Amino acid sequence: MTGTRLALMMFLQYFIWGVWFVTMGTYLGQTLHFTDREIGLAYGATAIAALASPFFMGIIADRFFASEKLLALLHLIGAGLLWSVAQQTTFAIFYPLLILYALCYMPTLSLTNSISFHHVSDSTHFPYIRVLGTLGWIVAGILVGRELHADAQVLPMRIAAGASIVMALYSLSLPHTPPKAAGARFRLRDALGLEALQLLRSRDFSIFVLGSFLLCIPLQFYYTFANPFLNEIKVPQAAFIQTFGQMSEVAFMLLLPLVLRRYGIKAIMLVGMLAWSARYFAFARGNAGAGMALIYAGILLHGVCYDFFFVGGQVYTDQRAGEKIRAAAQGLINFVTNGLGYFVGALVSGAVVEHYATTNSACADAAAASGCLRVVHDWQAVWVVPAMAALGVFVLFGIAFRPRRRSPAGVADVSP
């Protein structure tokens, strides 16, 4: 029964994220007419929050508050903030409010994991709970893209705000989870996870961290601009079609332990890197007509892209860290990838997409054109940039990364 309650918690947690995050770029570009650089910055808000989240968890959340109560509070505050974000039409107000919302939401990812691990008797059961989060993301995409056709509307943000209130109330019904460091002597070094920095003395781990950071820069092109791209080239039900990527993620997650044991961490991560490059080349050549098969291929590669690179990297980090500094090591790689890498990627992707943008008239009457201009992009040129960048990281990583061979013990946490 506890497992079912935890699975529903995961469903709501990732439904909230998936329902607004995927289509925000289309809404900001087509409806609010924000620039591509501003859209990139907006997607960097969660990266800023990912940079701050480990410190919040280490200094406050792990020491002073029951996890389920803090989860409820953060979602309740987040609901109000996201509703306020949805009311804004100028970037100067929209952006700081979105950062504040992200600062509330991102720590809840760690909190839901902590609650789950605390209440499962066997940690190997965690993936069966966590997979409901991916299902929540898929349902969000089906709702927005197929049922509501709301990619360019503010409605997804309002749905997420309402779902956050539901999550806040539901969190209060979850099993009690006391703060894991309550009563322990406070050490700033432990709270900030600085002991994981010792892993950087190892050449192979340093190259792994650097490669992960560099790859996250081209990766952000997908998360920020895939939905605007699909909508601009008139792919029907874009948000719904993107859920095929999460469906493939579930399938490849089941395969990951087997291929890790057979081929090793380096081969798996290289396949993941190469898949990112292949995905972008597919997008560069795809279109909503005869090239639709390439669009589907690029989306379906998400399972390989995400599971083989991110989850494989989490497994490698877990192996190298050991039990004593496991949490700190995972926090370090999360800081480098979801924080630094994605923030730089948000800046770069916005600049590149804006570079290949032109303004055309959307009016049949040229005299009225000044009132209905629209921005269009040379998407083939756009997607070649991250494709080549990911290919470059693949080559450098393949040459420089030489990990110690060790049989993987298991798979760590995942997110869509």
Side-chain angles (χ1 to χ4, degrees):
M1 188 64 181
T2 298
T4 302
R5 292 163 67 189
L6 296 175
L8 179 56
M9 172 191 71
M10 286 294 186
F11 179 92
L12 289 170
Q13 176 72 26
Y14 286 91
F15 174 86
I16 292 167
W17 195 3
V19 80
W20 69 271
F21 187 78
V22 173
T23 60
M24 179 177 68
T26 297
Y27 166 63
L28 298 185
Q30 292 188 10
T31 305
L32 298 187
H33 305 294
F34 288 180
T35 68
D36 294 313
R37 289 179 186 269
E38 289 171 339
I39 294 171
L41 281 172
Y43 273 90
T46 52
I48 292 173
L51 291 172
S53 182
F55 305 116
F56 172 81
M57 292 298 296
I59 297 174
I60 298 175
D62 287 345
R63 305 184 65 83
F64 300 113
F65 299 100
S67 296
E68 76 281 2
K69 291 183 173 60
L70 184 58
L71 184 66
L73 178 63
L74 288 174
H75 273 293
L76 187 61
I77 297 172
L81 286 170
L82 192 55
W83 187 267
S84 296
V85 170
Q87 310 309 308
Q88 307 309 315
T89 57
T90 60
F91 185 75
I93 302 176
F94 178 95
Y95 183 52
L97 283 175
L98 184 63
I99 292 175
L100 289 176
Y101 168 72
L103 288 169
C104 288
Y105 180 83
M106 295 307 285
T108 65
L109 297 172
S110 296
L111 286 170
T112 51
N113 289 346
S114 296
I115 291 170
S116 297
F117 279 116
H118 186 83
H119 293 284
V120 294
S121 57
D122 185 346
S123 62
T124 61
H125 294 162
F126 175 74
Y128 301 108
I129 294 171
R130 174 57 185 80
V131 76
L132 265 291
T134 301
L135 180 60
W137 191 284
I138 292 171
V139 170
I142 294 173
L143 176 64
V144 173
R146 186 173 184 178
E147 302 301 325
L148 299 175
H149 305 284
D151 289 38
Q153 299 177 22
V154 72
L155 182 59
M157 285 189 174
R158 292 174 176 164
I159 293 173
S164 295
I165 295 175
V166 174
M167 179 65 169
L169 296 174
Y170 181 74
S171 298
L172 296 175
S173 72
L174 293 170
H176 177 59
T177 309
K180 62 184 181 182
R185 184 168 65 91
F186 178 77
R187 294 176 58 197
L188 185 62
R189 178 180 178 85
D190 293 340
L192 298 183
L194 297 181
E195 63 269 28
L197 294 178
Q198 65 185 269
L199 293 172
L200 296 176
R201 298 173 185 169
S202 166
R203 178 183 178 274
D204 64 305
F205 191 81
S206 296
I207 292 172
F208 160 72
V209 171
L210 178 61
S212 299
F213 166 75
L214 291 175
L215 189 66
C216 280
I217 297 173
L219 262 55
Q220 188 71 317
F221 279 75
Y222 176 79
Y223 294 115
T224 305
F225 289 105
N227 189 259
F229 157 67
L230 295 174
N231 279 290
E232 188 173 311
I233 66 172
K234 307 302 183 184
V235 169
Q237 302 179 345
F240 166 64
I241 289 174
Q242 284 183 266
T243 65
F244 297 169
Q246 274 65 47
M247 297 175 191
S248 74
E249 180 185 321
V250 174
F252 280 101
M253 181 61 62
L254 297 175
L255 291 173
L256 184 60
L258 299 176
V259 294
L260 267 173
R261 292 186 180 94
R262 182 172 180 85
Y263 298 107
I265 191 66
K266 179 176 180 177
I268 293 306
M269 291 192 67
L270 284 173
V271 169
M273 290 178 171
L274 191 60
W276 278 101
S277 182
R279 145 182 275 181
Y280 289 140
F281 279 123
F283 282 172
R285 302 298 298 176
N287 56 61
M292 194 62 199
L294 289 172
I295 299 295
Y296 280 120
I299 291 171
L300 288 170
L301 276 171
H302 185 76
V304 182
C305 292
Y306 190 86
D307 293 339
F308 282 27
F309 173 68
F310 277 106
V311 182
Q314 290 170 348
V315 171
Y316 171 71
T317 300
D318 187 76
Q319 293 172 358
R320 291 303 314 274
E323 184 175 355
K324 184 177 180 181
I325 59 172
R326 175 174 294 152
Q330 295 291 353
L332 172 64
I333 198 64
N334 182 67
F335 181 90
V336 170
T337 55
N338 293 336
L340 290 176
Y342 278 165
F343 183 72
V344 175
L347 298 178
V348 172
S349 63
V352 169
V353 173
E354 189 165 287
H355 177 74
Y356 290 107
T358 56
T359 303
N360 288 347
S361 172
C363 298
D365 181 2
S370 61
C372 51
L373 297 177
R374 68 186 182 94
V375 176
V376 295
H377 302 84
D378 181 355
W379 287 110
Q380 181 173 357
V382 167
W383 292 122
V384 166
V385 174
M388 294 302 297
L391 188 61
V393 176
F394 163 80
V395 172
L396 293 175
F397 195 79
I399 295 172
F401 184 56
R402 302 182 182 279
R404 306 171 190 170
R405 296 189 62 84
R406 178 178 173 182
S407 177
V411 177
D413 168 46
V414 298
S415 59

